[in-house]
Structures are given as structure tokens and as C-alpha cells.
């Protein structure tokens, strides 16, 4: 699984909104983004490369129901 590092979240936040997040928020966002990437990775295992993009959402929804 890909892991988004807290330092990455901190750096991107500074670049995009020009300030630091509240203490502890970087860690929470890091965990949430990592979970999202894990879910996307799982969904794409079931999604053929040539599939229409609209099918991706339905697979994500099905995977979410299984959780």
C-alpha cells in the first residue's frame, strides 16, 4: 500500500493554501489519504484498464459496501 507521509501533506498544504494546518491535522489527513489510495488500489484490481471511467465509481461504491 502506498503511504502518504505527514511531511508530504505538510508541504503540499503550504504550497496550496500558504499556511500550516492545525497541529495533528497533517497526520489525520495523511491517514485518510493513505486509506483512499488503498481503496483505489483495491478497486482497480477489479477494473480492466480499458473500462469506461464511469465504471470506476460503481466499483468503488461496491468495495465500500463490502467494508
Amino acid at each position: 500500500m502506498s503511504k502518504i507521509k505527514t511531511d508530504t501533506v505538510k508541504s503540499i498544504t503550504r504550497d496550496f493554501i500558504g499556511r500550516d494546518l492545525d497541529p495533528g491535522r497533517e497526520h489525520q489527513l495523511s491517514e485518510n489519504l493513505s486509506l483512499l489510495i488503498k481503496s483505489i488500489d483495491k478497486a482497480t484490481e477489479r477494473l480492466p484498464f480499458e473500462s469506461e471511467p464511469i465504471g470506476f465509481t460503481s466499483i468503488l461504491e461496491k468495495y465500500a459496501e463490502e467494508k
Side-chain angles (χ1 to χ4, degrees):
M1 169 179 95
S2 297
K3 172 95 169 99
I4 303 294
K5 297 178 185 174
T6 302
D7 290 339
T8 303
V9 172
K10 196 179 292 188
S11 176
I12 290 172
T13 302
R14 285 185 190 135
D15 288 347
F16 281 94
I17 59 176
R19 64 178 178 83
D20 290 332
L21 294 172
D22 294 333
R25 186 78 171 125
E26 294 99 350
H27 178 71
Q28 182 181 16
L29 284 173
S30 169
E31 294 297 319
N32 289 343
L33 290 169
S34 295
L35 180 60
L36 178 62
I37 289 171
K38 179 182 177 184
S39 296
I40 290 170
D41 286 345
K42 282 271 197 193
T44 56
E45 290 173 1
R46 303 179 205 168
L47 187 67
F49 179 76
E50 63 277 354
S51 292
E52 291 292 323
I54 196 158
F56 186 73
T57 303
S58 63
I59 289 176
L60 279 178
E61 289 171 354
K62 183 178 177 181
Y63 180 70
E65 290 172 2
E66 293 173 6
K67 287 267 167 190

